[in-house]
């Protein structure tokens, strides 16, 4: 982070290499329009770059800080998406991907769609806690710091989220 | 039916895998971010579509203008006492 604050672009590349894949998956599970995950991941790293000088290591670990920024952006983006859908400007939730591809690619897209539908039925806090655990491997304390809740509450959210996800994907996830 | 730590880990691994490949190539993302950093203004831009997505400022301005127009119209209306009296006489005391 200190290197980022001095304008070191290689430090940004390293940060993206470390957190980029997890962040993209987190956003794909969090956004109401999952195809915007790539764009919002870019936006997150741009915010991190511009705010790096204000980063305080005593208050948050780098991963916590990055995911907190991403979460705020995702909440804001979901609000806008909801309003656009309300106005009828963005009626289609997500275009069906009917590109020809390999069988494995098709299966992966179907699994992604199934997962996103199952995640969408979870309450927001359960979904966020479970995603942070699954895609970034955060501890309860780190998830708690990211979501601004207690570690005990995180454990409860995780237990409920896992049970709900198992129920939603029963018979479809192997 | 109790779930073990291993079951939970398997579920979370499955979830993560379903949302995207594990060893994802970050080069395109890095390139896109660095390109946007190289542009003079990368944040804070709003397009016409954003105005609709953030309706409060625009609707607040519209409401303010409507109230101003209403207030001006009321203040400048040429209503005289004689006309009011004439109307009351025409319509009656129930007016």
């Amino acid at each position: 982070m200190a290197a980022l604050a001095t304008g070191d672009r290689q430090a940004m590349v390293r940060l993206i290499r470390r957190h980029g894949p997890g962040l993209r998956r987190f956003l794909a599970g969090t956004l109401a329009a999952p195809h915007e995950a790539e764009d919002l991941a870019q936006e997150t790293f741009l915010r991190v770059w511009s705010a790096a000088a204000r980063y305080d290591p005593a208050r948050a670990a780098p991963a916590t800080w990055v995911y907190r920024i991403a979460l705020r952006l995702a909440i804001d983006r979901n609000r806008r998406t909801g309003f656009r859908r309300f106005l009828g400007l963005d009626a289609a939730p997500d275009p069906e991907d009917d590109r020809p591809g390999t069988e494995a690619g098709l299966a992966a897209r179907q699994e992604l769609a199934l997962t996103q539908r199952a995640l969408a039925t979870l309450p927001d806090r359960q979904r966020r806690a479970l995603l942070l655990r699954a895609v970034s491997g955060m501890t309860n304390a780190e998830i708690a710091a990211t979501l601004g809740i207690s570690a005990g509450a995180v454990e409860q959210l995780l237990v409920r989220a896992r049970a709900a996800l198992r129920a939603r994907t029963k018979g479809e996830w192997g | 039916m109790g779930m073990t730590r291993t079951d939970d880990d398997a579920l979370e691994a499955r979830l993560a895998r379903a949302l995207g490949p594990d060893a994802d190539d970050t080069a395109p993302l890095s390139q896109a971010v660095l390109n946007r950093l190289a542009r003079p203004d990368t944040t804070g831009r709003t397009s016409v579509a954003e105005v609709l997505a953030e309706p409060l400022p625009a609707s607040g301005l519209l409401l303010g203008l409507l109230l101003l127009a209403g207030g001006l119209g009321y203040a400048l209306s040429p209503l005289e006492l004689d006309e009011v009296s004439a109307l009351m006489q025409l319509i009656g005391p129930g007016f």
Side-chain angles (χ1 to χ4, degrees):
Chain A
M1 285 298 170
L4 276 187
T6 63
D8 180 354
R9 298 191 176 202
Q10 280 310 308
M12 174 55 90
V13 172
R14 288 195 296 277
L15 189 78
I16 292 173
R17 203 175 294 143
R18 187 181 178 90
H19 296 296
L23 198 64
R24 231 171 356 207
R25 286 186 287 187
F26 173 71
L27 291 169
T30 305
L31 287 171
H35 62 275
E36 293 181 350
E38 179 76 21
D39 178 55
L40 209 63
Q42 290 179 24
E43 191 66 37
T44 301
F45 286 114
L46 290 172
R47 293 291 176 97
V48 167
W49 174 267
S50 59
R54 295 197 299 274
Y55 170 69
D56 180 1
R59 293 182 61 192
T64 304
W65 191 59
V66 170
Y67 276 89
R68 203 185 296 161
I69 290 173
L71 179 61
R72 276 205 297 266
L73 288 173
I75 291 170
D76 187 45
R77 183 68 65 96
N78 281 345
R79 203 174 288 140
R80 291 178 189 202
T81 302
F83 189 74
R84 285 206 304 272
R85 284 181 184 168
F86 174 73
L87 289 180
L89 294 174
D90 192 13
D94 230 355
E96 280 294 323
D97 191 350
D98 55 357
R99 289 172 298 176
T102 62
E103 201 172 313
L106 182 65
R109 287 200 294 275
Q110 285 173 341
E111 178 145 323
L112 176 62
L114 165 74
T115 306
Q116 284 165 339
R117 278 198 302 274
L119 283 172
T121 63
L122 301 184
D124 286 343
R125 295 203 315 169
Q126 286 183 23
R127 183 171 59 247
R128 289 168 195 160
L130 186 60
L131 283 169
L132 286 171
R133 163 79 81 196
V135 305
S136 72
M138 284 184 182
T139 62
N140 282 9
E142 287 169 332
I143 295 171
T146 305
L147 298 182
I149 57 180
S150 71
V154 168
E155 187 55 40
Q156 285 185 11
L157 289 174
L158 286 174
V159 169
R160 288 179 193 153
R162 288 185 196 115
L165 192 64
R166 278 193 182 97
R168 305 282 191 285
T169 57
K170 198 174 181 180
E172 306 205 50
W173 271 12
Chain B
M1 185 176 58
M3 289 292 167
T4 64
R5 182 67 248 166
T6 313
D7 294 330
D8 292 345
D9 289 346
L11 178 83
E12 286 158 13
R14 183 74 190 259
L15 172 62
R17 221 172 30 247
L19 289 172
D22 211 14
D24 211 356
D25 182 15
T26 57
L29 179 59
S30 299
Q31 195 58 51
V33 172
L34 292 179
N35 283 343
R36 287 177 69 177
L37 280 177
R39 285 187 221 152
D41 179 24
T42 55
T43 55
R45 288 172 302 160
T46 54
S47 63
V48 174
E50 299 278 322
V51 174
L52 287 173
E54 293 174 359
L56 277 182
S59 53
L61 180 67
L62 184 65
L63 188 65
L65 285 173
L66 277 173
L67 287 174
L68 185 66
L72 275 174
Y74 180 77
L76 300 177
S77 62
L79 194 65
E80 291 177 10
L81 192 60
D82 288 344
E83 290 170 342
V84 173
S85 305
L87 277 171
M88 284 184 74
Q89 279 179 359
L90 279 171
I91 298 169
F95 175 68

